[in-house]
Amino acid sequence: MDRKNEILRELVRAGDYVSGQELCRKLGVSRTAVWKCISRLREEGYVIEAVTNRGYRLRESGGGSLDRRSLEGALDTLWAGHPLIYKEETGSTNEDIFRLAEQGAGEGTLVVTGRQKAGRGRRGRTWISPPDGNVYMSILLRPGIRADQAPMITLVMALAVWEAAREIRPAPGREVSFGIKWPNDIVASADGGPWKKVCGILTEMRLEETDIRDIVVGIGLNVNQRTFSEEISGTASSFSLAAGRSLDRSLLTAAVWKRFEKNYALFLEAGSLAPLKEAYEKALVNKGRTCRVLDPQAPFTGTALGINDRGELIVAPEEGGAPVSVGSGEISVRGAEGYI
Ligand code: BTN
């Protein structure tokens, strides 16, 4: 990463003033070099304030800037997001990645946008993608695993988003908790209020015979969205509504990929979710709660106990009998009296 981007990353990370002296120390360069980088960043359109005795501060744009430069400045990964393709607007980032994969794109290719016109959700639903406050992104993966192991990647991704969410500093006096609703919805609860979905993940794959050709993991982060239609306002929210302040979209995006890289490596090494199970269960809001398993053949009610190494939800039926492992494929789970 060049010096200018390193400075940008320090400013984005700090979210506040950073002294010139600290920047010199962190980067091992002179004050003049720091000043030159700041000037170049300003020429590129960044608004950077300089105050005597306090240092430099990057002023956030209203929507928590999302553009190629901010993303590149914030991204601190080895392969996830390299290359990074930023689009002002697109149909569906999952579709973009499939197209790029056909053209020979490599693992780690990431498409990010703030405006999606034909967002896809799970189970053939539409992912409503209002412009300019959120992040819609997809990554290309080519893991050497069997097709039946692929659904676990969705849980790996959910854990990464949850870990990134936990780093969010809420507004003073605000209490916010984040969790995962099995298998891969990220939910938030503010000031003890109900859990609401703030992020959805859609994993799609293309096979060659029985082998995986491409896997696309698409993530819709409701970051700074402030209003939701009446239809979904009971169950949907955004990270910023939960935290009580607006958030930097590039920074949150970068935090997600940093954590994903780490979790994905652990998953691939083990060939299962075994090394991530404990962390995932810590996040799992269904755990210990009554849930309704919407199996089209045999729906039932029970208590969610946790997950197994394959990421299946283990549910103890209320009618008694041995716990049942529920796979995420065709079955969804609801709370006994509502969303969770
Ligand atoms: C869900 O239904 O919960 C999953 C929603 C996934 C939405 C994301 S937005 C980025 C990517 N592109 C798409 O078309 N869908 C996914």
Side-chain angles (χ1 to χ4, degrees):
M1 186 182 296
D2 76 5
R3 220 176 258 167
K4 182 192 67 181
N5 279 341
E6 279 183 60
I7 290 189
L8 180 60
R9 200 172 76 207
E10 291 303 329
L11 295 177
V12 167
R13 277 190 177 159
D16 201 351
Y17 286 95
V18 185
S19 73
Q21 201 180 4
E22 197 176 337
L23 289 172
C24 294
R25 190 183 53 77
K26 281 199 165 147
L27 276 73
V29 297
S30 67
R31 271 179 180 266
T32 318
V34 168
W35 173 247
K36 276 190 185 155
C37 292
I38 297 280
S39 303
R40 278 173 53 209
L41 288 167
R42 282 176 172 155
E43 277 160 26
E44 288 180 15
Y46 291 98
V47 180
I48 299 173
E49 299 162 351
V51 173
T52 317
N53 293 331
R54 297 192 75 185
Y56 300 103
R57 184 174 70 164
L58 179 69
R59 206 161 65 205
E60 266 183 30
S61 69
S65 59
L66 187 74
D67 53 54
R68 191 177 52 78
R69 286 186 312 236
S70 320
L71 285 164
E72 278 175 358
L75 203 62
D76 176 24
T77 51
L78 294 172
W79 59 269
H82 305 294
L84 168 76
I85 296 155
Y86 171 75
K87 292 182 135 188
E88 280 291 330
E89 180 178 298
T90 192
S92 154
T93 54
N94 271 31
E95 207 41 59
D96 289 335
I97 287 286
F98 275 127
R99 213 171 304 123
L100 289 164
E102 261 159 36
Q103 291 159 11
E107 181 164 62
T109 302
L110 177 69
V111 173
V112 185
T113 190
R115 297 176 180 211
Q116 206 177 223
K117 296 207 131 171
R120 296 207 290 255
R122 296 179 75 207
R123 299 174 203 288
R125 295 193 197 108
T126 300
W127 183 254
I128 302 163
S129 310
D132 299 330
N134 296 338
V135 177
Y136 313 106
M137 60 185 171
S138 305
I139 196 164
L140 174 60
L141 302 175
R142 294 216 175 89
I145 57 170
R146 296 185 315 271
D148 67 288
Q149 294 173 297
M152 290 188 254
I153 292 179
T154 310
L155 281 78
V156 176
M157 190 71 236
L159 182 61
V161 177
W162 177 73
E163 287 172 342
R166 294 219 312 165
E167 303 281 303
I168 292 174
R169 269 182 296 116
R174 184 92 166 172
E175 288 260 332
V176 61
S177 307
F178 293 97
I180 299 175
K181 175 187 178 286
W182 183 85
N184 60 6
D185 286 351
I186 308 303
V187 292
S189 155
D191 291 333
W195 290 108
K196 294 188 179 184
K197 177 165 169 174
V198 293
C199 165
I201 300 171
L202 174 67
T203 301
E204 298 182 287
M205 112 179 120
R206 284 199 181 151
L207 298 173
E208 216 158 56
E209 306 277 311
T210 53
D211 294 338
I212 293 174
R213 195 171 70 182
D214 308 304
I215 293 187
V216 176
V217 187
I219 301 115
L221 298 168
N222 294 346
V223 184
N224 288 320
Q225 188 173 343
R226 308 215 61 87
T227 53
F228 290 82
S229 68
E230 214 175 292
E231 233 180 306
I232 60 169
S233 62
T235 53
S237 185
S238 66
F239 288 93
S240 83
L241 282 176
R245 66 179 189 93
S246 81
L247 299 167
D248 187 294
R249 289 185 283 169
S250 297
L251 205 56
L252 184 59
T253 300
V256 167
W257 293 115
K258 182 83 182 164
R259 279 145 190 93
F260 178 75
E261 259 190 7
K262 177 183 64 69
N263 294 343
Y264 185 61
L266 291 169
F267 160 69
L268 289 183
E269 203 185 321
S272 78
L273 293 170
L276 303 170
K277 187 169 154 339
E278 199 183 319
Y280 183 93
E281 286 190 340
K282 220 167 115 187
L284 185 65
V285 292
N286 311 83
K287 196 172 172 181
R289 284 178 176 251
T290 305
C291 64
R292 181 88 188 135
V293 177
L294 305 172
D295 183 339
Q297 260 78 55
F300 69 97
T301 300
T303 305
L305 303 178
I307 59 163
N308 60 20
D309 289 356
R310 295 183 50 77
E312 294 161 338
L313 189 70
I314 304 164
V315 183
E318 68 177 2
E319 290 165 0
V324 177
S325 303
V326 179
S328 61
E330 285 310 311
I331 300 174
S332 62
V333 165
R334 289 275 167 278
E337 278 149 34
Y339 178 47
I340 287 171

